[in-house]
Amino acid sequence: MIHKKEILSLSRSKKQPHILVIGDIMADRYVCGSASRISPEAPVPVVAVKNETITLGGAANVAQNLFKLNAHVTICGVTGNDAMRPVILQQLKEEKIDATSVITDKSRPSTLKTRIMAGTHQLLRVDRETTTDVGEEIEQQLLKKITGKINRADIVMLSDYNKGLLTKSFTQQVIGLCNKAGKKVIVDPKGLHYEKYAGAWMIKPNKRELTEATNHEKIESEGELIKAAKKLITKTKSQYLVVTRSEEGISLISQKKQQHFSVKAKEVFDVTGAGDTVFASLGYFIALGVDLPTACELANYAAAIAVSKVGSVAVTIDEILSLIDTHEQ
């Protein structure tokens, strides 16, 4: 049972949680228009462009979601030395996100995903990125910038998109600093090398990622899911796994027990950024002092709002509580 008045009171209190987000910073460009004819040059639609927008993606989208939920946010990551860097930094500044730990890596471009849209339909996505690991010099620069910020944070969130920032070396050093400072670390993982997340308090894979990380061909039953989750918990020495399962909802699993939270979404228009919304919501509510099962339930409502809109969107407390009201009627 979610106590809405308590959640609203906590979120509106003067003591906003301080959250440090470390991860792969990206930008999402949406080129939107209409497609009413096929090109004479090739069998592809011709899009008549009406507007173009650039929004924050990846770890920057997580940070934006946290700001909208009323958190003080610091972000740590890298961009390229290119035209997208000032665009990303300006948007972070507009959201009052501390970006002083976002440094330039001249060896790579800023990660940019361009989506060509006809109405609400995505026709094509073009990615500009480099996914090689950052160098040791970059790692050391970042560690110097965040050491003091870890001490001030209520929680530390690692947003991994497998773009090269969260190397095993860097990730383990960050988790070590956090554990030494008594700070919980929660991870949105990517890739197969989960040993780099060893020591994190909570990890949030989706069902496909859990399947791949535990070398299962597929996970079909509840029992198989729990077995795989416990295997990953043992491997990473984490306390909790939160598994997002699309239309099957969210599962919270530890070595001793498990809870399942059914999906809240009624309409799905676009899943872009929905994982970031769930991750941000979990981090925010945990930092606020909400117990983990309630945080999972609230994150489920946040996901329902995110997938009902087009593009990466940030969800507010008022929207979450309003949706809870709708479901309880």
Side-chain angles (χ1 to χ4, degrees), residues 32-218:
C32 302
S34 57
S36 58
R37 64 189 181 96
I38 300 299
S39 170
E41 303 166 355
V44 295
V46 175
V47 177
V49 177
K50 293 181 179 178
N51 61 74
E52 182 176 325
T53 59
I54 296 175
T55 60
L56 298 171
N61 184 40
V62 173
Q64 185 176 46
N65 271 268
L66 287 164
F67 169 73
K68 294 294 185 184
L69 286 168
N70 198 35
H72 285 297
V73 190
T74 297
I75 188 167
C76 169
V78 300
T79 67
N81 185 25
D82 51 28
M84 284 309 302
R85 178 175 170 83
V87 174
I88 291 169
L89 293 180
Q90 179 59 33
Q91 290 204 21
L92 290 169
K93 182 180 178 181
E94 289 171 2
E95 303 286 15
K96 298 181 176 61
I97 295 165
D98 177 0
T100 54
S101 297
V102 177
I103 68 172
T104 302
D105 184 347
K106 295 179 181 179
S107 70
R108 65 184 65 224
S110 301
T111 300
L112 175 65
K113 296 182 178 182
T114 300
R115 295 173 176 86
I116 312 298
M117 309 288 294
T120 59
H121 300 286
Q122 185 180 147
L123 301 182
L124 179 68
R125 195 180 92 183
V126 181
D127 292 359
R128 186 186 70 177
E129 62 185 19
T130 295
T131 59
T132 54
D133 288 352
V134 297
E136 186 179 348
E137 184 180 340
I138 296 292
E139 290 183 13
Q140 293 307 312
Q141 286 182 47
L142 292 171
L143 286 167
K144 285 179 182 177
K145 283 184 171 290
I146 65 172
T147 301
K149 292 177 180 180
I150 286 172
N151 292 326
R152 292 190 292 273
D154 292 303
I155 197 168
V156 177
M157 304 177 66
L158 306 185
S159 177
D160 194 352
Y161 271 81
N162 215 18
K163 305 302 182 189
L165 179 74
L166 291 170
T167 64
K168 182 178 180 180
S169 167
F170 180 60
T171 305
Q172 278 296 287
Q173 288 182 81
V174 169
I175 292 173
L177 288 170
C178 292
N179 287 340
K180 187 177 179 181
K183 307 295 181 178
K184 291 175 180 175
V185 178
I186 67 173
V187 180
D188 196 355
K190 194 71 70 180
L192 301 176
H193 303 292
Y194 277 60
E195 63 276 2
K196 70 180 180 180
Y197 308 128
W201 182 71
M202 188 197 82
I203 303 175
K204 186 203 75 65
N206 60 35
K207 185 178 176 181
R208 177 183 57 79
E209 290 166 340
L210 175 63
T211 303
E212 293 172 349
T214 53
N215 297 315
H216 281 72
E217 187 174 329
K218 56 179 141 180

